[in-house]
Amino acid sequence: MDHKETWIEGDTLFYTDHQEIETIAIHTLKYAYAQVLGHVPYLFVFAEYQRYISTELKGFEAMYQELSSRFHFDDDAFFAVCKTKKEDDKVKIWAKQTHQNYQILEEYIDDGDLGYEVYATPKQSISWDITYEQLEASGLVEAYLTDYGTKYLRFKYAVRIEGILIHQLEIYADHSSANRPIQEYFVNLYDETNSDTSYRELRELWIDDSIDVSQYGYEREDQCYLQFELTQGISASICYTYDAVHSYDDGSTSLHFYNKREYDYFLENEDYEAVMELTEFLPFSERLNLQVSYKERDEVKHIPTKIIESQGNQSGIWLDERNHKIGFVGQDTALILDLDKIKNFTFQNVLPAKGGGYADLIVHFKTEDYLYVFTAVDTYFFDSLAKQLESMTKKKVNIPEAYYNC
């Protein structure tokens, strides 16, 4: 008996891709297409992310028939595309029918500046300033992990944001600073027809017909996307993707809310500044921005007064031997790390090709985590600083071979 390259066991679909066995939890499938790539027909499915399963795999026919019997694929459409083998040809053969998960309310309550309302018993008003840890402790959300260990929070109750009631609003919570205000909420909204009606209803709810769409985004045959200010410091976006040459229609409108408010009190660092000692400073030849913000990590603070007084507006790296600290000075903020927690550094150079050249300064921690600290627009920008940084910190600086920005 020939060795199978794709098969189904219970709720798991197995298939071979680049000589590796991949798996799909069948219950997570959202939609399926027939598509021709390199003149080879594929079964394209979306389950958490895009998957391409070649029809040339051993066992494909049996696997497809079992899958089709479960979901009632449009077999005629699938085999028509497979027969023609016309490059880039594709057709939707199935989409999961999802119940409508939102309601446009008759009364529009203009209270978005205060936050949102959770329809628990009793209802609870929540500020946009609530932190990840506060919300998780409130009992209003449940945490879950994806197969890749990414953490999300999902509301257990419907959430009203001004004039719309949303079911299963979610939050990406795989972050470094649980004590920060939540930065983003998201949900995929389906109307009862699983069509772009959801997009048009949201557009009517929040966008004036007289606006110049190009000031907010775009509305094209393949996709519609608009981003706008909901209230001060809080923006929203709506996006609907159609079935086009390089896109797939799953029948939902992606709705996001972004917290762009500033919380400068997180930048204060009086306790450290009171004991700080500037042992050595390694200046850069130009000012650079930090690649990490205070909303992402507790270690991002105001640039210490002692640095400003001695170095002015210079970007660079300081060493504080007394407190075992190392600091990275950007244009507006500084990253202050415990030197003892750092394993080494990397200067990664990228050569110009299709994209421009640049250089990254990366910190590697003993926990095996790493952090991109600076990016310079010139390749090899940091290389001349390697020996001095090693001497300052007694940590190795690795400079791998440069690669092209393709």
Side-chain angles (χ1 to χ4, degrees), residues 101-151:
N101 59 345
Y102 71 95
Q103 179 184 352
I104 304 298
L105 302 175
E106 292 184 5
E107 180 184 9
Y108 188 97
I109 305 174
D110 190 10
D111 60 354
D113 57 327
L114 301 176
Y116 50 90
E117 187 175 35
V118 181
Y119 277 38
T121 305
K123 295 178 183 178
Q124 296 188 38
S125 296
I126 306 296
S127 168
W128 293 113
D129 301 326
I130 193 171
T131 66
Y132 294 91
E133 59 190 5
Q134 288 172 338
L135 184 62
E136 192 166 4
S138 71
L140 299 175
V141 296
E142 56 186 0
Y144 72 92
L145 299 175
T146 67
D147 291 341
Y148 303 97
T150 305
K151 181 180 178 180

Side-chain angles (χ1 to χ4, degrees), residues 277-280 317-321 325-326 339 392-393:
E277 179 181 280
L278 178 56
T279 307
E280 191 172 352
I317 304 172
W318 87 79
L319 178 68
D320 178 351
E321 288 185 340
K325 299 284 187 182
I326 184 170
L339 188 59
M392 282 174 58
T393 63

Side-chain angles (χ1 to χ4, degrees), residues 199-315:
Y199 175 84
R200 289 186 278 108
E201 288 188 338
L202 292 175
R203 190 188 193 284
E204 183 179 353
L205 179 69
W206 281 312
I207 305 294
D208 192 321
D209 284 338
S210 64
I211 69 162
D212 179 1
V213 168
S214 65
Q215 299 298 311
Y216 295 84
Y218 52 83
E219 291 184 331
R220 306 186 307 236
E221 290 186 358
D222 64 321
Q223 188 178 70
C224 294
Y225 174 83
L226 299 175
Q227 184 167 153
F228 52 92
E229 185 176 77
L230 181 72
T231 187
Q232 186 173 8
I234 305 296
S235 67
S237 70
I238 55 175
C239 180
Y240 192 92
T241 301
Y242 296 91
D243 185 359
V245 176
H246 299 295
S247 58
Y248 309 88
D249 184 352
D250 77 336
S252 73
T253 297
S254 176
L255 171 63
H256 290 247
F257 298 95
Y258 308 96
N259 184 349
K260 297 184 178 181
R261 294 177 176 177
E262 296 296 333
Y263 300 90
D264 288 346
Y265 57 87
F266 283 113
L267 290 166
E268 297 174 1
N269 200 22
E270 295 179 358
D271 290 343
Y272 171 65
E273 290 200 46
V275 299
M276 175 186 173
E277 179 181 280
L278 178 56
T279 307
E280 191 172 352
F281 189 84
L282 177 57
F284 296 160
S285 59
E286 63 181 68
R287 299 185 71 198
L288 299 178
N289 266 322
L290 285 177
Q291 295 301 298
V292 59
S293 78
Y294 73 91
K295 293 181 180 180
E296 300 167 310
R297 296 191 69 102
D298 287 327
E299 300 97 332
V300 177
K301 301 295 182 183
H302 285 303
I303 299 172
T305 302
K306 287 183 180 178
I307 298 296
I308 296 174
E309 290 176 347
S310 64
Q311 305 298 325
N313 293 324
Q314 186 83 51
S315 291

Side-chain angles (χ1 to χ4, degrees), residues 69-103:
S69 66
R70 293 194 191 188
F71 295 105
H72 306 291
F73 288 168
D74 185 342
D75 292 337
D76 290 341
F78 179 81
F79 289 114
V81 169
C82 292
K83 183 177 180 179
T84 61
K85 295 186 178 181
K86 181 182 178 181
E87 185 65 13
D88 291 330
D89 197 10
K90 70 181 177 69
V91 64
K92 182 189 289 186
I93 60 171
W94 172 81
K96 182 179 181 180
Q97 293 301 301
T98 303
H99 295 298
Q100 183 160 327
N101 59 345
Y102 71 95
Q103 179 184 352

Side-chain angles (χ1 to χ4, degrees), residues 54-70:
S54 172
T55 59
E56 296 184 346
L57 295 178
K58 293 179 182 178
F60 179 87
E61 183 176 350
M63 180 278 295
Y64 175 85
Q65 293 298 338
E66 183 174 347
L67 205 60
S68 179
S69 66
R70 293 194 191 188

Side-chain angles (χ1 to χ4, degrees), residues 146-163:
T146 67
D147 291 341
Y148 303 97
T150 305
K151 181 180 178 180
Y152 291 86
L153 302 177
R154 180 190 293 124
F155 280 89
K156 296 187 288 186
Y157 310 93
V159 176
R160 181 187 63 79
I161 300 178
E162 295 193 340

